[in-house]
Amino acid sequence: MPTALITGATAGIGEAAVRSFADAGWHVVATGRRADRLEKLAGERVHTLAFDIRDEAARDAALDSLPAPFSGIDLLINNAGLALGLEPAQKASLSNWKTMIDTNVTALVSITHKLLPGLVERKGAIINLSSVAASYPYPGGNVYAGTKAFVRQFSLDLRADLHGTGVRVTSIEPGMVETEFTLVRTGSQETSDKLYGGANPMTGEDIAETLLWVATLPPHLNINALELMPVNQSWQGFAVHRED
Ligand code: 8X3
């Protein structure tokens, strides 16, 4: 069976994806920061690696010592990412902005660069977790949305460069998913409940099943980009400010 490397595997979509792929018989390398939470996922088909995705030296030390049958990565799922704050740009923290860029953009690009030669050799695949925020602006989206637009466009442009190699690339773009992500983003359970309560949002498992579906399509098919929303989420019109 093929091997998938899934980043951000300690919670939410990543954790659900580790379980889905392992249940489907894949070998899975599950990476994340929190060793204690990763340990719970470890098993015959799941090899865990604890490192901060932004720390390239720690990442390389971990990835370069992968044992068989986990050492040949066929599928990279770039799931690690975060949203910090919902403040308008003029009130947002620069440190939050930099953390999002470092994680959602720089670390994603860097691990992709590291694994690309092997993925080309094995005619593998990359699935990047973008967001509906990549395409639809909303108040408070600012840098988070910018990073997700980068992820979407990077995915599409990777396809252009990988033309003829057999490597597949997909941008997955979910709307509201209720996971720990929403708690981190809003900063409190109360605000998270206010935003997501009653909306019947998607779950990590919903997205994990989609990832497995994309990964197991016949090799001649490529899903370029896929938006998903809960039925209870859609769009509103433009905001118009009227001057007195
Ligand atoms: C976040 C998407 O719709 O929860 O990536 O703002 S949404």
Side-chain angles (χ1 to χ4, degrees):
M1 274 309 256
T3 298
L5 185 144
I6 303 174
T7 67
T10 54
I13 295 172
E15 181 182 350
V18 172
R19 295 190 202 284
S20 293
F21 278 77
D23 286 352
W26 288 59
H27 291 112
V28 180
V29 179
T31 82
R33 254 184 313 174
R34 293 167 290 183
D36 52 326
R37 294 178 73 154
L38 278 178
E39 263 165 37
K40 288 186 206 136
L41 293 169
E44 202 186 319
R45 282 201 286 271
V46 181
H47 184 86
T48 60
L49 291 177
F51 58 83
D52 184 332
I53 192 82
R54 295 168 298 177
D55 181 344
E56 290 183 7
R59 181 204 65 199
D60 286 354
L63 294 184
D64 292 343
S65 61
L66 274 171
F70 297 96
S71 51
I73 308 295
D74 302 286
L75 167 65
L76 167 62
I77 300 186
N78 276 316
N79 166 69
L82 77 175
L84 297 170
L86 272 168
E87 298 89 6
Q90 61 275 30
K91 292 196 178 143
S93 135
L94 180 58
S95 141
N96 279 350
W97 280 8
K98 286 182 176 172
T99 303
M100 288 190 279
I101 293 168
D102 289 349
T103 310
N104 302 1
V105 175
T106 310
L108 180 145
V109 161
S110 180
I111 194 169
T112 302
H113 187 268
K114 178 168 177 65
L115 295 179
L116 255 181
L119 290 167
V120 170
E121 208 173 286
R122 280 182 286 281
K123 292 192 191 313
I126 301 170
I127 305 180
N128 291 327
L129 267 294
S130 173
S131 164
V132 292
S135 304
Y136 310 105
Y138 55 81
N142 50 69
V143 167
Y144 169 71
T147 65
K148 292 300 175 178
F150 174 90
V151 172
R152 173 188 160 81
Q153 195 61 33
F154 180 53
S155 308
L156 298 177
D157 278 276
L158 273 176
R159 282 220 65 222
D161 285 356
L162 291 165
H163 182 81
T165 63
V167 176
R168 301 192 283 178
V169 187
T170 300
S171 169
I172 296 288
E173 300 161 9
M176 296 172 85
V177 184
E178 191 154 34
T179 64
E180 211 177 271
F181 168 96
T182 61
L183 191 58
V184 172
R185 178 174 212 184
T186 57
S188 77
Q189 191 63 54
E190 200 192 340
T191 322
S192 173
D193 289 349
K194 215 182 280 171
L195 266 176
Y196 290 82
N200 199 7
M202 297 182 290
T203 63
E205 285 72 22
D206 291 331
I207 308 303
E209 289 309 309
T210 305
L211 295 171
L212 187 59
W213 172 72
V214 167
T216 51
L217 286 167
H220 66 283
L221 282 179
N222 193 101
I223 304 288
N224 297 334
L226 186 63
E227 281 181 12
L228 302 99
M229 280 181 175
V231 173
N232 288 340
Q233 181 182 25
S234 63
W235 307 270
Q236 278 181 323
F238 291 116
V240 179
H241 173 72
R242 301 195 191 281
E243 294 174 18
D244 298 325

